[in-house]
Amino acid sequence: VIEYQRIPELAIVPGVCVGSRHRVRSVVLVMRDELDDLREVRTVALDSSSRTSAALVRVIFREFLGFEPEWTTSAPDVASMLRTADAALIIGDPGMTFSREHVVVYDLAELWRKHTGLGFVFAMWMAREHELEKIRRIDFAGARDEGLAHVEDIASLYRETVGLSPREIESYLLENISFELDEEMRGGLDLFYRLAHKHGIIGQVRPLKLLGS
């Protein structure tokens, strides 16, 4: 979602997103357990897989914790990242399957909710406005609803790929992830953009432009 502010002429597909209202599980900051608090972190290794999550963790440190650690970028391997940094940002399937021994795990959606009272949008569908006619042919909300109606099938299909049990995958999709871009989620997105601009992560704040509006 951070790229919406960096790529000109984009508009957002209304109503759908990938976000979290409370705890997301798949976007986490992992800290070595010999540290007592996030305020002791001096170096953070950022997962190279996500620009939005990297922007979010920068906002959390600068805005809510009041300081800035040193940043590095790394491939998503927690053990390797923590050999050279106090904490590591890890996302996606690796963020749910790494060993929890000798580490402290902070869920970024939980941290965002704690400080803002809002949900967080990690991803959304976007297109250039001149592609509107093509986008109208795709029922994004219908695809979302069809997927949610077949969560058990999806969980069974991906259990070996993800490395989680079908029950864990179902719980993740139904309880941790929000697929609806409603007013609360848009409020979280607006605030994220304002804070990203405040802290120099993006150069401007473009208002949310929905495709077809």
Side-chain angles (χ1 to χ4, degrees), residues 43-118:
T43 54
V44 177
L46 300 173
D47 187 336
S48 58
S49 305
S50 173
R51 296 175 183 176
T52 294
S53 299
L56 174 59
V57 78
R58 290 176 190 268
V59 166
I60 287 172
F61 272 95
R62 295 174 184 176
E63 179 72 15
F64 305 138
L65 299 177
F67 74 99
E68 175 138 31
E70 178 184 342
W71 311 102
T72 61
T73 301
S74 175
D77 183 289
V78 170
S80 175
M81 296 161 94
L82 291 183
R83 278 197 286 270
T84 57
D86 295 330
L89 169 69
I90 193 89
I91 75 160
D93 297 348
M96 295 192 289
T97 56
F98 66 90
S99 171
R100 262 55 177 178
E101 291 185 7
H102 308 300
V103 296
V104 179
V105 180
Y106 294 89
D107 188 291
L108 288 200
E110 278 187 330
L111 287 175
W112 175 258
R113 184 85 189 189
K114 173 184 175 182
H115 290 285
T116 69
L118 296 167

Side-chain angles (χ1 to χ4, degrees), residues 7 16 19 28 37 51 57 59 64 73 80 98 116 129 134 136-137 141 144-146 161-162 170 186 193 202 213:
I7 302 174
V16 291
V28 294
D37 188 88
R51 296 175 183 176
V57 78
V59 166
F64 305 138
T73 301
S80 175
F98 66 90
T116 69
E129 292 187 72
K134 293 180 181 178
R136 279 180 171 160
R137 301 172 197 164
R144 173 200 62 204
D145 296 342
E146 183 179 0
T161 303
V162 177
E170 289 178 39
R186 286 183 61 174
Y193 286 150
I202 55 176
S213 64

Side-chain angles (χ1 to χ4, degrees), residues 7 9 19 31 35 44 79 112 120 160 213:
I7 302 174
E9 301 177 4
M31 183 179 73
L35 302 179
V44 177
W112 175 258
F120 190 83
E160 293 185 6
S213 64

